[in-house]
Amino acid sequence: QVQLVESGGGLVQAGGSLRLSCVASGTFFSINDMGWYRQAPGKQRELVASITSVGVTKYADSVKGRFTISRENAKISVDLQMNSLKPEDTAVYYCNAFVKIYSSGSGYSPYWGQGTQVTVSS
């Protein structure tokens, strides 16, 4: 019903930049919050940044001032601009969206993309 497709991961040197993109497709009524999470080897998945449907953003302390999240509601997409990357940013990054499938009934449920690898070399 809902697919989140990510792109933009890769290998970059410390201090470099990458831009991740995620586009939602399928059949649904609306999308509320969208965001990016990451999971490094041996660690739990953690929130990197999120953005509401009206543009209110939230960032993990570790990425504040370096990462910027944005979304285009018309395209149903969310981007993550990552600057000044550090080796500790290395992880699989997952797009997340809270989706309401039908106009009535249950509320919003979380959906996930397949993940995209970001590797930052020192």
Side-chain angles (χ1 to χ4, degrees):
Q1 288 171 316
V2 180
Q3 295 83 40
L4 300 177
V5 179
E6 302 124 333
S7 61
L11 173 64
V12 65
Q13 287 188 332
S17 298
L18 282 174
R19 187 176 184 90
L20 304 183
S21 295
C22 172
V23 178
S25 63
T27 303
F28 48 86
F29 176 68
S30 71
I31 292 182
N32 197 348
D33 293 5
M34 300 185 78
W36 290 92
Y37 286 70
R38 67 186 180 188
Q39 187 167 20
K43 295 188 177 181
Q44 289 189 329
R45 190 174 297 190
E46 63 175 0
L47 173 69
V48 176
S50 64
I51 184 167
T52 69
S53 59
V54 295
V56 177
T57 58
K58 178 166 52 177
Y59 295 93
D61 288 343
S62 59
V63 307
K64 283 180 181 176
R66 301 187 298 122
F67 292 10
T68 302
I69 190 170
S70 59
R71 73 187 274 177
E72 290 193 49
N73 288 331
K75 295 182 180 180
I76 321 176
S77 66
V78 61
D79 290 354
L80 184 69
Q81 177 65 42
M82 305 185 293
N83 299 328
S84 302
L85 282 161
K86 304 175 180 180
E88 50 263 44
D89 294 318
T90 296
V92 177
Y93 284 69
Y94 296 90
C95 177
N96 167 266
F98 283 84
V99 183
K100 188 172 185 179
I101 301 298
Y102 304 105
S103 60
S104 61
S106 59
Y108 291 85
S109 299
Y111 286 81
W112 297 91
Q114 79 284 357
T116 185
Q117 177 70 46
V118 171
T119 303
V120 184
S121 63
S122 57

